[in-house]
């Protein structure tokens, strides 16, 4: 039995680029290695800036405003990815999705996010597309409204269990209002927490590379409590930086039932070569709570860590988006 058949675990690919879609992406789908894909402003900024595959379309679009050019390029890729993933989607509506994020500048604008989500969904016009919405106060309202209209949503930039609960509540309410088979994922960012906190934990005699997994597990438990099978936990930010850990560490530790792991290509390759193929042992809620009590006893301020990661994450996506728009305007 595969992990997909056994526990409904899906590996998605956290990358999109035009030449890649026509080559390796197809093979990964055909070989039943990946079951979906995700994109974000940083991925598009890198792909469009560094690949020659966009040159011809860029030439045709150069008279337009920068955001129009970006959307045309991105939507072309998203539509193609959706087409290539469509057979997976038809086979099992939990999978076969590709995500596109709303303009990161809209992260505190509920109405703007709703309008952009509806517009992008309409322009792409594929059933297996998810609109990515950051988990801010404005984002929660937007997620509920978009899913209530039958639009699939990927809630992104979740670091804290409180964010995970707010997303699950909004999505659960929205999906139930839609009276459709609307789907959603809640993207928990894993490795960034370790990169931020490991040195402080180590200095206090606590183990490194544990917090990200325990935090993601706590979020997973909170999401599963809603018992809505149309909402899955998605583990994101699962690439390893540096040589301290196995390259597939954040996949191996989080092979949980009814979950998704979206990973960069290098991480997928590491997992295929050396990774775990059996379901992971899931720390119980009690174990998670005991771990976080230990952190509190050691004066680790998780509230400020979560706030910093969200602030930094939003800023990074905004910066990538601005850099890309500036480049497109110059070209």
């Amino acid at each position: 039995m595969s992990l997909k058949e056994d526990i409904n675990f899906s590996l998605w690919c956290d990358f999109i680029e035009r030449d890649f879609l026509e080559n390796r992406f197809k093979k990964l789908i055909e070989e039943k290695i990946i079951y979906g894909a995700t994109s974000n402003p940083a991925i598009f900024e890198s792909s469009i800036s560094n690949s020659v595959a966009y040159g011809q379309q860029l030439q045709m679009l150069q008279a337009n405003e920068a955001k129009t050019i970006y959307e045309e390029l991105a939507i072309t890729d998203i539509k193609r990815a959706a087409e290539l993933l469509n057979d997976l989607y038809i086979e099992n509506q939990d999978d076969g999705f590709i995500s596109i994020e709303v303009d990161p500048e809209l992260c505190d604008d509920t109405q703007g996010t709703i309008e952009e989500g509806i517009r992008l969904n309409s322009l792409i016009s594929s059933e297996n597309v998810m609109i990515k919405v950051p988990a801010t106060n404005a984002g929660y309202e937007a997620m509920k409204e978009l899913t209530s209209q039958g639009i699939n949503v990927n809630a992104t930039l979740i670091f804290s269990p409180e964010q995970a609960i707010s997303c699950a509540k909004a999505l659960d309410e929205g999906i139930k209002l839609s009276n459709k088979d609307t789907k959603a994922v809640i993207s928990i960012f894993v490795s960034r927490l370790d990169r931020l906190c490991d040195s402080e934990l180590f200095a206090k005699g606590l183990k490194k590379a544990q917090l990200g997994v325990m935090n993601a597990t706590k979020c997973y438990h909170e999401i599963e409590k809603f018992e809505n099978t149309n909402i899955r936990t998605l583990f994101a930010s699962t690439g390893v930086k540096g040589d301290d850990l196995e390259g597939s560490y954040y996949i191996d530790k989080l092979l949980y039932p009814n979950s998704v792991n979206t990973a960069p290509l290098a991480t997928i390759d590491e997992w295929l070569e050396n990774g775990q193929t059996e379901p992971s042992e899931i720390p119980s809620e009690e174990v998670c709570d005991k771990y976080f009590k230990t952190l509190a006893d050691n004066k680790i301020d998780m509230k400020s860590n979560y706030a910093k990661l969200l602030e930094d994450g939003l800023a990074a996506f905004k910066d990538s988006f601005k850099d890309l728009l500036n480049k497109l305007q110059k070209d």
Side-chain angles (χ1 to χ4, degrees):
M1 290 272 279
S2 70
L3 284 163
K4 179 70 200 159
E5 294 163 323
D6 191 13
I7 61 167
N8 193 32
F9 167 82
S10 307
L11 185 64
W12 290 4
C13 177
D14 194 28
F15 183 63
I16 194 165
E17 186 275 326
R18 199 157 289 182
D19 281 341
F20 166 71
L21 289 177
E22 301 306 330
N23 295 285
R24 181 89 197 277
F25 189 66
K26 285 181 177 178
K27 285 184 183 171
L28 289 167
I29 294 168
E30 285 164 12
E31 292 168 9
K32 296 284 174 118
I33 292 164
I34 63 165
Y35 289 83
T38 49
S39 72
N40 62 44
I43 288 170
F44 270 120
E45 192 267 331
S46 176
S47 293
I48 293 169
S49 299
N50 297 312
S51 170
V52 296
Y54 298 91
Q56 190 176 354
Q57 193 180 10
L58 273 167
Q59 284 288 318
M60 292 164 59
L61 292 167
Q62 60 184 304
N64 292 281
E65 291 289 314
K67 188 171 176 182
T68 303
I69 299 171
Y70 157 74
E71 284 190 358
E72 289 287 340
L73 296 172
I75 285 169
T76 300
D77 281 1
I78 295 291
K79 279 184 171 180
R80 181 60 178 144
E83 186 182 359
L84 293 168
L85 289 163
N86 196 52
D87 285 350
L88 286 173
Y89 175 73
I90 289 167
E91 192 179 310
N92 179 345
Q93 276 85 54
D94 277 350
D95 283 305
F97 285 101
I98 175 71
S99 302
I100 185 169
E101 191 156 338
V102 295
D103 184 335
E105 292 292 341
L106 296 170
C107 64
D108 296 316
D109 180 349
T110 299
Q111 195 54 38
T113 298
I114 293 166
E115 287 168 6
E116 177 136 326
I118 292 168
R119 185 174 62 80
L120 288 172
N121 191 66
S122 175
L123 284 169
I124 297 162
S125 194
S126 300
E127 287 185 1
N128 57 327
V129 165
M130 285 184 162
I131 301 300
K132 238 179 173 182
V133 177
T136 60
N137 287 333
Y140 303 137
E141 286 297 314
M143 291 170 201
K144 179 179 174 180
E145 180 58 31
L146 289 170
T147 48
S148 77
Q149 294 192 33
I151 294 171
N152 306 307
V153 165
N154 178 338
T156 190
L157 286 173
I158 289 96
F159 297 99
S160 71
E162 290 74 23
Q163 280 181 291
I165 293 165
S166 295
C167 288
K169 186 173 184 295
L171 293 166
D172 183 59
E173 289 173 3
I175 287 168
K176 285 170 178 169
L177 286 168
S178 75
N179 292 316
K180 293 180 182 174
D181 195 29
T182 311
K183 303 285 186 175
V185 293
I186 298 176
S187 295
I188 315 299
F189 281 51
V190 187
S191 66
R192 291 187 194 185
L193 203 49
D194 286 337
R195 288 200 290 277
L196 176 67
C197 300
D198 266 358
S199 57
E200 184 185 4
L201 294 178
F202 186 68
K204 294 188 176 185
L206 300 170
K207 278 188 183 176
K208 291 160 77 170
Q210 238 186 6
L211 173 54
V213 169
M214 293 300 280
N215 185 70
T217 303
K218 173 75 173 162
C219 292
Y220 172 82
H221 283 306
E222 295 295 352
I223 293 163
E224 287 294 294
K225 284 178 192 172
F226 282 80
E227 297 184 339
N228 187 330
T229 54
N230 281 25
I231 302 171
R232 296 171 84 189
T233 302
L234 182 151
F235 300 114
S237 178
T238 53
V240 168
K241 295 189 178 173
D243 302 322
D244 293 348
L245 300 170
E246 289 288 333
S248 59
Y249 178 81
Y250 292 108
I251 298 179
D252 296 337
K253 291 286 184 185
L254 294 164
L255 297 168
Y256 293 175
N258 196 41
S259 74
V260 179
N261 195 308
T262 190
L265 275 174
T267 306
I268 291 171
D269 288 337
E270 287 271 3
W271 184 66
L272 290 172
E273 194 172 336
N274 305 307
Q276 185 172 308
T277 54
E278 296 294 318
S280 311
E281 187 176 331
I282 307 173
S284 67
E285 266 202 278
E286 291 74 24
V287 168
C288 293
D289 290 342
K290 189 177 175 184
Y291 176 78
F292 281 99
K293 185 179 184 307
T294 301
L295 296 188
D297 291 346
N298 281 272
K299 304 290 189 287
I300 307 290
D301 184 355
M302 288 308 300
K303 192 173 179 183
S304 70
N305 288 330
Y306 292 140
K308 177 175 170 45
L309 285 166
L310 178 58
E311 187 181 330
D312 289 353
L314 290 168
F317 281 165
K318 287 177 186 177
D319 288 347
S320 292
F321 200 62
K322 277 181 200 159
D323 288 348
L324 179 56
L325 294 189
N326 286 337
K327 186 174 187 305
L328 292 174
Q329 201 68 67
K330 285 172 193 166
D331 291 352

